Amino acid sequence: MGLEEKLPSGVLLTTVEGLAGYARKNSLWPATFGLACCAIEMMATGAGRYDIARFGMEVFRASPRQADLMIVAGRVSQKMAPVLRQIYDQMPEPKWVLAMGACASSGGMFNNYAIVQGVDHIVPVDIYLPGCPPRPEMLLDALMKLQEQIGDTKLGANRKRQIVELEQAALLATPVTAARGQI
């Protein structure tokens, strides 16, 4: 006989973190930042067939001050890198970044001086989406995974503690270069 059985029907029990996480994850507003062929797939995701509006993300924002998700779709040139960072810095907190496609994630097939070899050299990335170009279904799946991460985000002092724990775990992790034979 728990507390839930004694409450009248229609009463919902939750925490402030749970409620804030639910609101944040279901109201993402992506910034439009399509740089190459991946942008076509990102546009298709917003169209009627895939309908990103089902997940509360139909409002692609042209202003970074109104967006909380940056989808970097395509290759980032060295000239575009400062612009990308400026747009990221103009976004309000909390903000998330999704690297869409092989070019945004690792430079793709463009291994030269003109293309940034991974957008994570410029901004912190929350989700990497592989593919050349990734299909709209893959983008929807990545966005749903990002929503799960956002829903589990802590607030206030709990968030600061979570960040410190994640940084400590990253520092103690075995570097990829030293993990030969383990992968």
Side-chain angles (χ1 to χ4, degrees), residues 54-65:
R54 295 177 290 167
F55 305 101
M57 296 180 222
E58 72 274 8
V59 185
F60 276 88
R61 292 297 180 181
S63 170
R65 289 177 179 87

Side-chain angles (χ1 to χ4, degrees), residues 59-127:
V59 185
F60 276 88
R61 292 297 180 181
S63 170
R65 289 177 179 87
Q66 298 174 346
D68 53 5
L69 169 64
M70 177 185 282
I71 302 174
V72 182
R75 60 189 176 270
V76 179
S77 66
Q78 295 289 348
K79 284 186 174 183
M80 187 57 81
V83 177
L84 175 82
R85 183 62 199 203
Q86 181 180 12
I87 290 173
Y88 176 80
D89 289 339
Q90 289 175 353
M91 291 170 59
E93 288 288 342
K95 53 190 168 188
W96 299 276
V97 177
L98 189 148
M100 181 179 178
C103 295
S105 298
S106 64
M109 64 186 99
F110 303 101
N111 189 12
N112 60 31
Y113 65 92
I115 303 298
V116 176
Q117 299 300 307
V119 75
D120 54 355
H121 292 288
I122 304 162
V123 294
V125 176
D126 297 294
I127 296 277

Side-chain angles (χ1 to χ4, degrees), residues 7 22 25 33 40 44 46 60 92 95-96 102 111 117 121 125 145 151 158 162-163 165 169 181:
L7 291 173
Y22 180 79
K25 78 177 190 175
F33 204 80
I40 304 298
F60 276 88
K95 53 190 168 188
W96 299 276
N111 189 12
Q117 299 300 307
H121 292 288
V125 176
K145 285 185 169 74
N158 294 335
Q162 184 183 32
I163 290 171
E165 290 171 1

